[in-house]
Amino acid sequence: MIERETLRREFERRYGRPARLFRAPGRVNLIGEHTDYNGGFVLPMAIDRETVAAAAPREDRTVRVFSLDLDEEATFDLDRPGRPRRGLWLDYVEGVARALESRGVPLLGADLMLLSDVPAGAGLSSSAALEISTGLALVSVSGRTIDPVELALAGQQAEHTYVGTLSGIMDQFVAALGREGHALLIDCRALKAEAIPLDTERVVVAITDTHVHHELSSSEYNLRRAECEQGVALLGEHLPGIEQLRDVSVEDFERHAERLPETVRRRCRHVVHEMARTLAATDALRRGDLEEMGRLMRRSHESLRDDYEVSCAELDLLAETAWGVEGVLGSRMTGGGFGGSTVSLVRRERLGEFERTLTEEYHKQKGFAPTVYVSEAGGGAREVSGDE
Ligand code: GLA
């Protein structure tokens, strides 16, 4: 957890007045990958790492942001849009501010200071934690309130317009609405979620960061999305009325699959089956059948590797090594892919062996070690009270 006192003190020192604090978590997705932008289901949980934004309003329309992690300040003017897609961390902050105003939430200028322990590039959505914490901070110090789903949509809009990734709603949704001790089954079309209890007493959620992040992840992401849309257009000739892959059942898909060009067929096969796996995994969790949940996670990884082609050698190495460790119920890549992390369900008493085996094997093949984090399911975005 971020040291709140440090942030309060540094803010006062730099800006000469006290701040209010707002936090939003990173996330790990247990299953349901690349289904969100197809209107489908996902099952992420918020992790216990967070970004905290300290904020106080200003009298003008300037937003000044200081990142304590990077020791860097940036400024923008709410009345004069900066150029989008500069590849800067400011894109996320300015993007969410503009998205909020364009969605009818007028903002005051503000001084902001940021501190985060969500590792960047690890596939744990440090970007959504940044968008949602700063978005909530800007809205709140402007004397307004916002529905958390609307806040999530503003974060997603920032990705689309300012960052340039046509992402789905999963990351921002769980950053805004995560619930302690629970995963969220999100229906990404209805924008509704059900909290699913996650008992981590005997089995823990272990995140393993490959420490690699391959170029192209954003362009490949947008390409996958386009391939899914192409699949919907082609399947629509035989399944009238479908709007997204969400509308295609496994049976309908299998009946018409051979009409699709090979690549599009494999992409759609992943998505349609992954949606079914996500619902089956949720049922398994509800029944406490973690073995079944683990099997589905493994199938999800294989499908992302072979059909969706968003895994990479490093993710495969970690997942495949984990499958061979006793006490590992399941393991898969998590998030967009092309680097980042895997997520594994591991029996608590086997955690030491899990960490040792993955570290040794990865180090042997890559020459450096991965990082293993164990996380409880944390809560979503909120204001941090004065005595925390
Ligand atoms: C990224 C995106 C999400 C989602 C995942 C893949 O994290 O931001 O919207 O599409 O990839 O499941």
Side-chain angles (χ1 to χ4, degrees):
M1 197 177 78
I2 288 294
E3 233 341 296
R4 279 91 163 94
E5 247 349 277
T6 314
L7 190 54
R8 289 186 202 282
R9 197 181 51 239
E10 289 301 316
F11 188 96
E12 285 211 41
R13 201 158 68 184
R14 189 171 184 93
Y15 295 120
R17 62 200 199 285
R20 289 167 65 188
L21 265 49
F22 302 86
R23 55 92 59 186
R27 65 96 187 94
V28 64
N29 189 18
L30 300 177
I31 195 163
E33 219 64 83
H34 289 276
T35 48
D36 59 353
Y37 52 83
N38 289 296
F41 297 94
V42 293
L43 188 65
M45 65 177 217
I47 57 174
D48 48 20
R49 291 175 168 253
E50 60 181 2
T51 296
V52 184
R58 293 170 57 97
E59 280 171 7
D60 58 12
R61 294 260 296 159
T62 298
V63 178
R64 264 197 303 181
V65 202
F66 185 79
S67 160
L68 273 178
D69 303 298
L70 302 172
D71 194 23
E72 220 174 86
E73 188 178 71
T75 302
F76 61 93
D77 182 336
L78 286 167
D79 293 321
R80 288 192 310 176
R83 200 161 47 83
R85 299 176 201 188
R86 294 160 294 194
L88 306 173
W89 59 272
L90 188 67
D91 293 348
Y92 298 93
V93 183
E94 184 165 350
V96 82
R98 299 220 175 282
L100 285 163
E101 289 217 305
S102 80
R103 305 177 78 86
V105 187
L107 301 177
L108 301 176
D111 290 330
L112 298 178
M113 187 175 275
L114 305 171
L115 192 56
S116 180
D117 63 0
V118 187
L124 302 177
S125 266
S126 60
S127 52
L130 177 57
E131 289 151 5
I132 299 303
S133 59
T134 53
L136 182 61
L138 287 169
V139 169
S140 307
V141 301
S142 301
R144 312 247 156 202
T145 56
I146 188 167
D147 174 80
V149 175
E150 187 58 23
L151 177 60
L153 287 166
Q156 183 193 25
Q157 188 177 325
E159 294 278 342
H160 288 204
T161 55
Y162 257 76
V163 181
T165 304
L166 297 174
S167 63
I169 193 65
M170 168 170 70
D171 306 346
Q172 292 79 12
F173 195 108
V174 67
L177 284 127
R179 173 129 162 242
E180 222 167 284
H182 292 73
L184 292 189
L185 174 66
I186 308 173
D187 177 334
C188 298
R189 176 183 272 174
L191 296 177
K192 290 208 171 357
E194 186 187 339
I196 310 291
L198 202 60
D199 180 2
T200 52
E201 204 179 307
R202 293 195 336 266
V203 173
V204 299
V205 176
I207 297 162
T208 312
D209 183 359
T210 60
H211 292 297
V212 299
H213 188 69
H214 295 288
E215 287 300 308
L216 294 178
S217 59
S218 179
S219 56
E220 286 290 325
Y221 186 96
N222 293 347
L223 179 62
R224 292 298 176 283
R225 195 176 170 137
E227 287 165 339
C228 292
E229 282 161 13
Q230 204 187 333
V232 172
L234 293 169
L235 287 168
E237 293 169 16
H238 312 283
L239 300 168
I242 61 166
E243 283 171 11
Q244 288 179 297
L245 288 176
R246 163 71 181 266
D247 300 313
V248 181
S249 66
V250 168
E251 296 70 33
D252 278 345
F253 172 75
E254 295 301 342
R255 198 165 334 115
H256 298 288
E258 81 281 5
R259 302 176 202 262
L260 298 174
E262 214 241 322
T263 303
V264 173
R265 178 166 67 229
R266 287 194 286 121
R267 305 300 189 241
C268 295
R269 184 163 63 203
H270 164 73
V271 173
V272 168
H273 283 270
E274 183 79 355
M275 289 190 273
R277 275 191 289 270
T278 305
L279 294 176
T282 306
D283 278 346
L285 259 191
R286 285 198 189 101
R287 294 192 306 270
D289 186 352
L290 294 179
E291 281 80 11
E292 175 63 4
M293 166 90 193
R295 278 191 289 276
L296 291 161
M297 288 171 75
R298 176 175 176 154
R299 274 195 241 128
S300 166
H301 184 86
E302 290 166 341
S303 173
L304 289 157
R305 182 191 63 193
D306 302 336
D307 276 346
Y308 218 63
E309 296 182 283
V310 291
S311 187
C312 62
E314 293 83 359
L315 288 167
D316 291 344
L317 174 59
L318 287 180
E320 288 162 17
T321 306
W323 297 339
V325 177
E326 208 185 315
V328 172
L329 301 176
S331 183
R332 55 181 290 277
M333 56 157 277
T334 187
F338 300 103
S341 300
T342 60
V343 58
S344 311
L345 290 186
V346 186
R347 291 197 197 282
R348 199 173 270 282
E349 71 274 12
R350 295 284 179 178
L351 193 58
E353 188 182 334
F354 168 82
E355 183 161 0
R356 226 170 10 254
T357 311
L358 263 67
T359 304
E360 267 173 32
E361 195 55 36
Y362 195 79
H363 193 273
K364 197 157 79 195
Q365 299 207 27
K366 305 302 303 177
F368 54 95
T371 303
V372 178
Y373 311 92
V374 170
S375 181
E376 299 297 322
R382 62 177 173 82
E383 179 163 10
V384 176
S385 68
D387 51 8
E388 277 182 64

